[in-house]
Amino acid sequence: MFSKQTYQNRRKKLINNITEGVILLMGNTESPINFPDNPFPFRQDSSFLYYFGIQQPKLAAIIDVDQEETIIFGDELSIDEIVWMGIQETIKAKANKSGVEKTQAFSQLADYIQKAKSTGRKIHILPPYQAENKITLSKLLEVKISDLKPSVELIKAIVAQREIKEEQEIIQIENTVETSNKMHLLAMQIAKPGMKEYELVSAIKKLAADEESTLAYPPIITIDGQILHNHYYGNTLKSGDLVLNDSGAENKMKYAGDLTRTFPVDKKFTPQQKEIYQIVHTAFEQTKSLLKPGLAFKEVHKKAALIIAQGLIDLGLVKGTAEEAVKNNAHTLFFQTGLGHMMGLDVHDMEDLGEQYVGYTQEDPKDTQTFGWKSLRLGKPLKEGFVVTIEPGIYFIPQLIDMWKAENRLKDFINYDKVEQYRDFGGIRIEDDLLITKEGNRLLGNGLISSVEEIEDFRAKHLS
Ligand code: GLY
Ligand code: MN
Ligand code: MN
């Protein structure tokens, strides 16, 4: 946990940004895999963690904005639970570390809410995503799950706080990015023809565990890099393949790292792989260097699209000018994803609070319709203290190519004959994590090799 004052100050700031009423923050519960006593690993809700720092299931908290009072609701262990799980620090003791004096049994939350409701007080909730919490909120507030109304005022106040990382949070994020760097170096070190993708997965998981960390999300470690969220690890690495490794650690304090490297199974990229890699790498380096306060991330995404389009024009896959190609969204046949997102306690930070509130502004809302652009999670102007990822990519998705080709879509911009030569290419993504500073930006962690030369040198050194 951070210091007691940290959580007290964060809650105080939150109270100051909410006009009136009661904030109800739900902690997460344990979720069964196949029977109740066999749950998925517990992960606390990130907003609950941010304001309380307590990593224990089945807690809820009330922050009374008008009385400036905070209560944590939860049940101390019964003797049966102590028999099976051992004695643990009491909720009261944990709450004290968070600067909260008052704790009550979970069952008393219903009375509290009842009273607040009957006196006409506003009850602010966040959008629930765990089924258990949806049910609990529905019962507590006596409305159908589909009628639960998250408080936009609360969402905006929390986003405004969590998006600006504190110095101590940046230290935590750098720590987990460093673990993530080591995971990536290890994968690039041990990969060789004949190995299974899952061997790389188990190696990076062990490295994370050795640093008291887990993974921040299911890793994407695949020779099919064109499958954007591929979670199948059964392929054998073959000479001529590329390995796309998108993985990041989550440290003890639950901060995330999110890095991607794509490297050859051989010592060198093939000439075709090298050409595509160079385009992605140029987009990666150039867009990273642009990041600074005030610049809309949407513009940085557009810059990546232009670089990718120009690179593909130079190779003969795209026709016309880069400007026109991007205006017509021709680049989205190859670059279907967003350039990046916020990162912090969540790998896609605060995504549960809604992409519109986290990544966009009312004046310039998210495009939820246009292929490619609808996957851009962050569009708004950057501020000092944001932590973001930069992750351009080029992906050849055979089914998408076939569909566009059959429709003759954007035929003035796409050279389908040439694209056919790449249909089995796979995909390349390169991803780093950066802090927006007063002057511009700073790479988080000590840096990880990414250029063709650096990767080929490293592979040559380790692949005997
Ligand atoms: N690891 C998921 C992403 O890069 O957004
Ligand atoms: Mn990633
Ligand atoms: Mn990412």
Side-chain angles (χ1 to χ4, degrees), residues 64-80:
D64 184 327
V65 174
D66 310 315
Q67 315 285 331
E68 298 209 9
E69 181 187 56
T70 303
I71 308 171
I72 290 181
F73 293 85
D75 297 326
E76 302 292 0
L77 293 184
S78 68
I79 186 64
D80 275 345

PDB file of all heavy atoms in Angstrom, residues 64-80:
ATOM      1  N   ASP A  64     -19.199   9.683   1.988  1.00  0.00           N
ATOM      2  CA  ASP A  64     -20.289  10.647   2.117  1.00  0.00           C
ATOM      3  C   ASP A  64     -19.728  12.034   1.795  1.00  0.00           C
ATOM      4  O   ASP A  64     -18.923  12.583   2.557  1.00  0.00           O
ATOM      5  CB  ASP A  64     -20.837  10.587   3.561  1.00  0.00           C
ATOM      6  CG  ASP A  64     -22.039  11.493   3.751  1.00  0.00           C
ATOM      7  OD1 ASP A  64     -22.089  12.563   3.097  1.00  0.00           O
ATOM      8  OD2 ASP A  64     -22.917  11.140   4.556  1.00  0.00           O
ATOM      9  N   VAL A  65     -20.152  12.560   0.674  1.00  0.00           N
ATOM     10  CA  VAL A  65     -19.585  13.817   0.183  1.00  0.00           C
ATOM     11  C   VAL A  65     -19.983  14.985   1.096  1.00  0.00           C
ATOM     12  O   VAL A  65     -19.176  15.888   1.346  1.00  0.00           O
ATOM     13  CB  VAL A  65     -20.079  14.080  -1.269  1.00  0.00           C
ATOM     14  CG1 VAL A  65     -19.634  15.442  -1.771  1.00  0.00           C
ATOM     15  CG2 VAL A  65     -19.594  12.971  -2.190  1.00  0.00           C
ATOM     16  N   ASP A  66     -21.205  14.930   1.615  1.00  0.00           N
ATOM     17  CA  ASP A  66     -21.705  16.061   2.407  1.00  0.00           C
ATOM     18  C   ASP A  66     -21.124  16.065   3.824  1.00  0.00           C
ATOM     19  O   ASP A  66     -20.778  17.105   4.358  1.00  0.00           O
ATOM     20  CB  ASP A  66     -23.243  16.019   2.455  1.00  0.00           C
ATOM     21  CG  ASP A  66     -23.818  15.850   1.050  1.00  0.00           C
ATOM     22  OD1 ASP A  66     -23.339  16.547   0.146  1.00  0.00           O
ATOM     23  OD2 ASP A  66     -24.699  14.989   0.858  1.00  0.00           O
ATOM     24  N   GLN A  67     -21.021  14.863   4.428  1.00  0.00           N
ATOM     25  CA  GLN A  67     -20.493  14.788   5.809  1.00  0.00           C
ATOM     26  C   GLN A  67     -18.974  14.580   5.824  1.00  0.00           C
ATOM     27  O   GLN A  67     -18.367  14.543   6.890  1.00  0.00           O
ATOM     28  CB  GLN A  67     -21.114  13.581   6.555  1.00  0.00           C
ATOM     29  CG  GLN A  67     -22.611  13.396   6.398  1.00  0.00           C
ATOM     30  CD  GLN A  67     -23.364  14.418   7.213  1.00  0.00           C
ATOM     31  OE1 GLN A  67     -22.875  14.885   8.236  1.00  0.00           O
ATOM     32  NE2 GLN A  67     -24.537  14.809   6.734  1.00  0.00           N
ATOM     33  N   GLU A  68     -18.397  14.354   4.641  1.00  0.00           N
ATOM     34  CA  GLU A  68     -16.966  14.025   4.535  1.00  0.00           C
ATOM     35  C   GLU A  68     -16.610  12.839   5.437  1.00  0.00           C
ATOM     36  O   GLU A  68     -15.651  12.878   6.208  1.00  0.00           O
ATOM     37  CB  GLU A  68     -16.093  15.237   4.866  1.00  0.00           C
ATOM     38  CG  GLU A  68     -16.320  16.375   3.895  1.00  0.00           C
ATOM     39  CD  GLU A  68     -15.110  17.279   3.702  1.00  0.00           C
ATOM     40  OE1 GLU A  68     -14.026  16.936   4.193  1.00  0.00           O
ATOM     41  OE2 GLU A  68     -15.281  18.305   3.025  1.00  0.00           O
ATOM     42  N   GLU A  69     -17.420  11.803   5.334  1.00  0.00           N
ATOM     43  CA  GLU A  69     -17.189  10.616   6.159  1.00  0.00           C
ATOM     44  C   GLU A  69     -17.016   9.396   5.248  1.00  0.00           C
ATOM     45  O   GLU A  69     -17.687   9.292   4.228  1.00  0.00           O
ATOM     46  CB  GLU A  69     -18.391  10.387   7.082  1.00  0.00           C
ATOM     47  CG  GLU A  69     -18.210   9.186   7.984  1.00  0.00           C
ATOM     48  CD  GLU A  69     -19.462   8.853   8.776  1.00  0.00           C
ATOM     49  OE1 GLU A  69     -20.532   8.641   8.163  1.00  0.00           O
ATOM     50  OE2 GLU A  69     -19.359   8.769  10.010  1.00  0.00           O
ATOM     51  N   THR A  70     -16.108   8.507   5.641  1.00  0.00           N
ATOM     52  CA  THR A  70     -15.886   7.297   4.842  1.00  0.00           C
ATOM     53  C   THR A  70     -16.106   6.060   5.707  1.00  0.00           C
ATOM     54  O   THR A  70     -15.647   6.010   6.856  1.00  0.00           O
ATOM     55  CB  THR A  70     -14.439   7.290   4.285  1.00  0.00           C
ATOM     56  OG1 THR A  70     -14.248   8.475   3.530  1.00  0.00           O
ATOM     57  CG2 THR A  70     -14.192   6.087   3.399  1.00  0.00           C
ATOM     58  N   ILE A  71     -16.793   5.090   5.133  1.00  0.00           N
ATOM     59  CA  ILE A  71     -17.014   3.817   5.852  1.00  0.00           C
ATOM     60  C   ILE A  71     -16.643   2.664   4.918  1.00  0.00           C
ATOM     61  O   ILE A  71     -17.013   2.681   3.735  1.00  0.00           O
ATOM     62  CB  ILE A  71     -18.502   3.626   6.255  1.00  0.00           C
ATOM     63  CG1 ILE A  71     -19.040   4.845   6.996  1.00  0.00           C
ATOM     64  CG2 ILE A  71     -18.673   2.360   7.090  1.00  0.00           C
ATOM     65  CD1 ILE A  71     -20.554   4.811   7.219  1.00  0.00           C
ATOM     66  N   ILE A  72     -15.925   1.681   5.454  1.00  0.00           N
ATOM     67  CA  ILE A  72     -15.677   0.456   4.668  1.00  0.00           C
ATOM     68  C   ILE A  72     -16.576  -0.646   5.220  1.00  0.00           C
ATOM     69  O   ILE A  72     -16.620  -0.878   6.445  1.00  0.00           O
ATOM     70  CB  ILE A  72     -14.190   0.055   4.730  1.00  0.00           C
ATOM     71  CG1 ILE A  72     -13.369   1.085   3.945  1.00  0.00           C
ATOM     72  CG2 ILE A  72     -13.978  -1.351   4.163  1.00  0.00           C
ATOM     73  CD1 ILE A  72     -11.885   0.814   3.889  1.00  0.00           C
ATOM     74  N   PHE A  73     -17.289  -1.297   4.304  1.00  0.00           N
ATOM     75  CA  PHE A  73     -18.184  -2.392   4.684  1.00  0.00           C
ATOM     76  C   PHE A  73     -17.545  -3.718   4.289  1.00  0.00           C
ATOM     77  O   PHE A  73     -17.097  -3.884   3.141  1.00  0.00           O
ATOM     78  CB  PHE A  73     -19.539  -2.252   3.975  1.00  0.00           C
ATOM     79  CG  PHE A  73     -20.330  -1.063   4.433  1.00  0.00           C
ATOM     80  CD1 PHE A  73     -20.124   0.199   3.869  1.00  0.00           C
ATOM     81  CD2 PHE A  73     -21.270  -1.185   5.449  1.00  0.00           C
ATOM     82  CE1 PHE A  73     -20.853   1.301   4.299  1.00  0.00           C
ATOM     83  CE2 PHE A  73     -22.008  -0.080   5.886  1.00  0.00           C
ATOM     84  CZ  PHE A  73     -21.793   1.165   5.307  1.00  0.00           C
ATOM     85  N   GLY A  74     -17.509  -4.662   5.231  1.00  0.00           N
ATOM     86  CA  GLY A  74     -16.952  -5.981   4.927  1.00  0.00           C
ATOM     87  C   GLY A  74     -17.053  -6.848   6.162  1.00  0.00           C
ATOM     88  O   GLY A  74     -17.229  -6.336   7.276  1.00  0.00           O
ATOM     89  N   ASP A  75     -16.953  -8.151   5.963  1.00  0.00           N
ATOM     90  CA  ASP A  75     -17.105  -9.076   7.095  1.00  0.00           C
ATOM     91  C   ASP A  75     -15.751  -9.620   7.527  1.00  0.00           C
ATOM     92  O   ASP A  75     -14.975 -10.094   6.691  1.00  0.00           O
ATOM     93  CB  ASP A  75     -18.033 -10.230   6.696  1.00  0.00           C
ATOM     94  CG  ASP A  75     -19.437  -9.708   6.383  1.00  0.00           C
ATOM     95  OD1 ASP A  75     -19.854  -8.732   7.045  1.00  0.00           O
ATOM     96  OD2 ASP A  75     -20.079 -10.250   5.459  1.00  0.00           O
ATOM     97  N   GLU A  76     -15.515  -9.553   8.839  1.00  0.00           N
ATOM     98  CA  GLU A  76     -14.300 -10.172   9.376  1.00  0.00           C
ATOM     99  C   GLU A  76     -14.416 -11.688   9.200  1.00  0.00           C
ATOM    100  O   GLU A  76     -15.524 -12.218   9.042  1.00  0.00           O
ATOM    101  CB  GLU A  76     -14.134  -9.826  10.872  1.00  0.00           C
ATOM    102  CG  GLU A  76     -14.061  -8.327  11.176  1.00  0.00           C
ATOM    103  CD  GLU A  76     -12.774  -7.637  10.660  1.00  0.00           C
ATOM    104  OE1 GLU A  76     -11.931  -8.321  10.063  1.00  0.00           O
ATOM    105  OE2 GLU A  76     -12.651  -6.418  10.852  1.00  0.00           O
ATOM    106  N   LEU A  77     -13.285 -12.398   9.217  1.00  0.00           N
ATOM    107  CA  LEU A  77     -13.313 -13.847   8.987  1.00  0.00           C
ATOM    108  C   LEU A  77     -14.067 -14.566  10.103  1.00  0.00           C
ATOM    109  O   LEU A  77     -13.916 -14.229  11.287  1.00  0.00           O
ATOM    110  CB  LEU A  77     -11.883 -14.389   8.937  1.00  0.00           C
ATOM    111  CG  LEU A  77     -11.011 -13.958   7.759  1.00  0.00           C
ATOM    112  CD1 LEU A  77      -9.657 -14.659   7.824  1.00  0.00           C
ATOM    113  CD2 LEU A  77     -11.690 -14.259   6.429  1.00  0.00           C
ATOM    114  N   SER A  78     -14.863 -15.554   9.709  1.00  0.00           N
ATOM    115  CA  SER A  78     -15.515 -16.410  10.707  1.00  0.00           C
ATOM    116  C   SER A  78     -14.487 -17.446  11.169  1.00  0.00           C
ATOM    117  O   SER A  78     -13.445 -17.623  10.536  1.00  0.00           O
ATOM    118  CB  SER A  78     -16.714 -17.111  10.069  1.00  0.00           C
ATOM    119  OG  SER A  78     -16.223 -18.034   9.099  1.00  0.00           O
ATOM    120  N   ILE A  79     -14.804 -18.160  12.237  1.00  0.00           N
ATOM    121  CA  ILE A  79     -13.859 -19.175  12.729  1.00  0.00           C
ATOM    122  C   ILE A  79     -13.652 -20.266  11.665  1.00  0.00           C
ATOM    123  O   ILE A  79     -12.540 -20.765  11.479  1.00  0.00           O
ATOM    124  CB  ILE A  79     -14.280 -19.752  14.114  1.00  0.00           C
ATOM    125  CG1 ILE A  79     -13.188 -20.696  14.666  1.00  0.00           C
ATOM    126  CG2 ILE A  79     -15.611 -20.479  14.047  1.00  0.00           C
ATOM    127  CD1 ILE A  79     -11.867 -20.018  14.963  1.00  0.00           C
ATOM    128  N   ASP A  80     -14.707 -20.593  10.931  1.00  0.00           N
ATOM    129  CA  ASP A  80     -14.559 -21.602   9.863  1.00  0.00           C
ATOM    130  C   ASP A  80     -13.550 -21.122   8.819  1.00  0.00           C
ATOM    131  O   ASP A  80     -12.707 -21.875   8.354  1.00  0.00           O
ATOM    132  CB  ASP A  80     -15.899 -21.866   9.183  1.00  0.00           C
ATOM    133  CG  ASP A  80     -16.719 -22.907   9.935  1.00  0.00           C
ATOM    134  OD1 ASP A  80     -16.119 -23.600  10.787  1.00  0.00           O
ATOM    135  OD2 ASP A  80     -17.934 -23.002   9.680  1.00  0.00           O
TER     136      ASP A  80
END
